[in-house]
Amino acid sequence: QVQLVESGGGPVDSGGSLRLSCMISDLRADNYAIAWFRQAPGQGREALSTITNAYISSYANSMKDRFTISPDAAKTTVNLEMESLKPADKAVYYCATRIHRPYGLDWDTWTKYAYWGQGTQVTVSS
């Protein structure tokens, strides 16, 4: 069973930075994608970024100037570097993985992802 565990969340001042990590285990697939989503209170799940096993990355247009996704060398962890954080970035951040059509253009559709982490809370104070 695939497991994903997020870490790195916490409180940060407006304008600050955070690095979130998604540790992946038991992912037995040659082709896959790892994505980051977030969900603010009372809001839907918002796609942020994704990266495939072939290092193909995509970003939501509103995030690509501030967020950077990257895997570690062993591809067991995918990090999300976040800069210039704003109070509006306050949310629970989730990582997820898909092995069915991982290169699809619908990377930002959360229902396409079968496996999810438990989430990590990010709070940005003004």
Side-chain angles (χ1 to χ4, degrees), residues 45-67:
R45 202 158 295 192
E46 180 183 18
L48 304 176
S49 182
T50 187
I51 192 162
T52 71
N53 58 287
Y55 299 100
I56 300 170
S57 61
S58 298
Y59 294 89
N61 285 336
S62 59
M63 305 300 168
K64 59 185 176 183
D65 292 336
R66 298 190 296 126
F67 292 3

Side-chain angles (χ1 to χ4, degrees), residues 6-96:
E6 303 95 337
S7 62
V12 62
D13 292 335
S14 182
S17 302
L18 277 179
R19 184 175 73 173
L20 305 183
S21 296
C22 175
M23 184 176 297
I24 307 145
S25 58
D26 294 325
L27 178 56
R28 305 181 190 278
D30 293 331
N31 300 307
Y32 58 87
I34 306 294
W36 282 95
F37 291 79
R38 71 184 181 186
Q39 189 164 16
Q43 303 294 318
R45 202 158 295 192
E46 180 183 18
L48 304 176
S49 182
T50 187
I51 192 162
T52 71
N53 58 287
Y55 299 100
I56 300 170
S57 61
S58 298
Y59 294 89
N61 285 336
S62 59
M63 305 300 168
K64 59 185 176 183
D65 292 336
R66 298 190 296 126
F67 292 3
T68 304
I69 194 169
S70 62
D72 69 352
K75 296 185 182 178
T76 57
T77 300
V78 172
N79 298 314
L80 185 69
E81 302 275 357
M82 307 188 296
E83 301 177 345
S84 303
L85 288 165
K86 313 169 187 177
D89 293 315
K90 175 183 176 180
V92 178
Y93 285 68
Y94 299 92
C95 62

